[in-house]
Amino acid sequence: MIKANKNKDRMGIITEIAQPNRTALRSTSSAPSTPTANDASMLRLLQLSSATLPVGGYAFSHGLEWALEAEWLSTSDDVIEWLSVQLTESVATLDLPILHRQCLALEQQDIPALIQWNDTVLACRESYELRLTDTALADAMIRLLHGLSIETDLLNTLDNQSKKPHNISYVTTFAIAATHWRISPHYAALGYAWAWLENQVAAATKLTLFGQLSAQKAIDALMPVVEQAVNQSLLISDDDIGTSLPGLAMASSHHETQYSRLFRS
């Protein structure tokens, strides 16, 4: 069970974390249905949120590695709690609300709004490494989208309007890919949150905090939190977008000078 007092210690914030119709199957098995647009978009969502997407998400622990080194985390329950707080107090209050707004901006071809929200999410990253994580993932996604000939004109426009290199957020590139593939903002948010969670659980596994079975148990425990985060993000007003997790910012900052490490953040 997630304990509120532990949340406060580590993050600086208190958070309460049919049987198939075989006759019907037989009757339709000889006439496979043509995939619908929704089927195609869902397949694209799986592609976009897959761990095999070549953006390098596996290289970043978001401060988790230092938190282990500092003995802030020692058990699988500690890690579940750490990730739960980030989902509800950072991903749900910053990344997902902005992702939703950027998807809408793209649908309306409102490039100034897209850029405004891009700058907002980067400004809210609380450490150099957290910002590096965001922009490094974005750089890799941009290379991928260019390679797939997806929205190249838009990407070039964003690059030209950026004040300096590496100034585009991964949230922005995720929104561009999702909109191009006709993935709804809601499902894009689910995919984004799932990909974030999967990468973090993989990082914890590499750090030996999880075994294979305990990693799946952690994902199972955090699935409802992912849903909560997505639903919570829909209620965030423009003025309430942001995050403040002092523990995460400290862990990320200390990780910059950690002597021995596996991850870039």
Side-chain angles (χ1 to χ4, degrees):
M1 178 178 294
I2 298 171
K3 298 180 181 178
N5 60 332
K6 288 187 177 179
N7 287 352
K8 182 176 181 180
D9 289 343
R10 296 189 179 90
M11 289 297 196
I13 189 168
I14 298 178
T15 302
E16 299 193 4
I17 284 198
Q19 291 294 323
N21 186 329
R22 301 187 183 278
T23 302
L25 290 174
R26 283 196 298 271
S27 65
T28 60
S29 60
S30 59
S33 60
T34 302
T36 65
N38 188 54
D39 293 332
S41 66
M42 290 304 292
L43 286 171
R44 289 299 190 180
L45 175 63
L46 293 174
Q47 178 185 4
L48 188 56
S49 57
S50 171
T52 64
L53 194 75
V55 296
Y58 59 84
F60 303 95
S61 79
H62 296 263
L64 181 63
E65 186 171 21
W66 190 87
L68 172 63
E69 177 76 12
E71 298 183 351
W72 288 5
L73 310 175
S74 58
T75 68
S76 58
D77 286 342
D78 291 340
V79 180
I80 290 171
E81 179 185 322
W82 174 269
L83 298 181
S84 176
V85 173
Q86 287 188 64
L87 278 167
T88 57
E89 302 298 329
S90 179
V91 177
T93 60
L94 178 62
D95 299 55
L96 299 186
I98 287 182
L99 176 66
H100 184 83
R101 285 158 175 78
Q102 289 188 312
C103 287
L104 295 180
L106 286 163
E107 290 174 3
Q108 298 166 4
Q109 299 184 344
D110 188 349
I111 303 306
L114 181 72
I115 294 173
Q116 174 194 335
W117 290 118
N118 174 81
D119 294 346
T120 298
V121 70
L122 289 179
C124 288
R125 299 306 185 198
E126 293 188 283
S127 73
Y128 168 80
E129 280 200 351
L130 291 175
R131 192 182 191 282
L132 171 66
T133 300
D134 195 345
T135 57
L137 292 174
D139 289 345
M141 178 70 92
I142 289 169
R143 289 192 295 270
L144 174 62
L145 295 178
H146 274 300
L148 296 174
S149 299
I150 292 175
E151 302 293 351
T152 54
D153 290 342
L154 173 58
L155 292 171
N156 290 334
T157 298
L158 291 178
D159 186 55
N160 291 334
Q161 294 194 25
S162 296
K163 298 178 180 179
K164 55 185 178 180
H166 313 297
N167 207 37
I168 298 177
S169 166
Y170 182 62
V171 181
T172 303
T173 60
F174 199 96
I176 291 171
T179 304
H180 177 83
W181 282 328
R182 301 183 184 279
I183 301 168
S184 72
H186 175 75
Y187 284 111
L190 280 172
Y192 183 97
W194 161 254
W196 181 91
L197 173 61
E198 187 177 34
N199 281 323
Q200 289 297 283
V201 171
T205 304
K206 291 176 184 177
L207 293 167
T208 69
L209 286 165
F210 289 143
Q212 291 183 334
L213 179 58
S214 58
Q216 292 304 308
K217 288 182 177 180
I219 289 175
D220 185 65
L222 288 165
M223 282 292 193
V225 185
V226 169
E227 294 183 53
Q228 175 190 341
V230 172
N231 293 329
Q232 177 185 341
S233 70
L234 298 174
L235 304 177
I236 303 295
S237 68
D238 289 1
D239 291 340
D240 290 332
I241 288 176
T243 182
S244 180
L245 291 177
L248 174 62
M250 290 171 61
S252 175
S253 297
H254 283 298
H255 186 268
E256 294 177 22
T257 57
Q258 186 170 332
Y259 175 72
S260 177
R261 58 185 187 175
L262 295 175
F263 299 94
R264 293 181 66 188
S265 76

